[in-house]
């Protein structure tokens, strides 16, 4: 995660395609921003929400990271 003073963070996970994360979360009706540009394909932008929303996003990110369907 890059340092941020805004209402979003830019996140990446080495070796994992971020388009896959975008699609996995969208299938669960969690929408993040994926940029299909060569210099941005390894990153997603996640807007900060309520504590409950962020807890849900973090749980889904962990599932995706660990390969849990």
């Amino acid at each position: 995660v890059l340092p941020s003073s805004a209402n979003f963070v830019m996140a990446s996970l080495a070796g994992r395609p971020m388009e896959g994360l975008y699609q996995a979360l969208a299938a669960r009706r969690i929408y993040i921003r994926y940029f299909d540009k060569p210099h941005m394909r390894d990153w997603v932008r996640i807007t900060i929400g309520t504590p409950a929303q962020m807890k849900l996003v973090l749980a889904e990110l962990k599932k995706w990271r660990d390969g849990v369907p």
Side-chain angles (χ1 to χ4, degrees):
V1 174
L2 296 176
S4 177
S5 295
N7 68 336
F8 63 88
V9 294
M10 297 295 293
S12 179
L13 183 60
R16 298 293 303 268
M18 292 295 105
E19 184 176 14
L21 173 61
Y22 167 77
Q23 292 172 347
L25 292 179
R28 291 175 170 82
R29 298 179 60 132
I30 298 172
Y31 301 104
I32 61 174
R33 184 74 192 263
Y34 170 71
F35 301 91
D36 190 15
K37 304 285 182 197
H39 64 285
M40 294 293 293
R41 286 189 182 125
D42 293 339
W43 295 91
V44 291
R45 186 180 83 182
I46 302 171
T47 301
I48 304 303
T50 66
Q53 290 169 330
M54 296 314 301
K55 186 175 181 178
L56 175 63
V57 168
L58 287 173
E60 293 298 328
L61 287 172
K62 288 176 185 175
K63 287 181 192 176
W64 179 79
R65 178 197 65 196
D66 296 339
V68 176

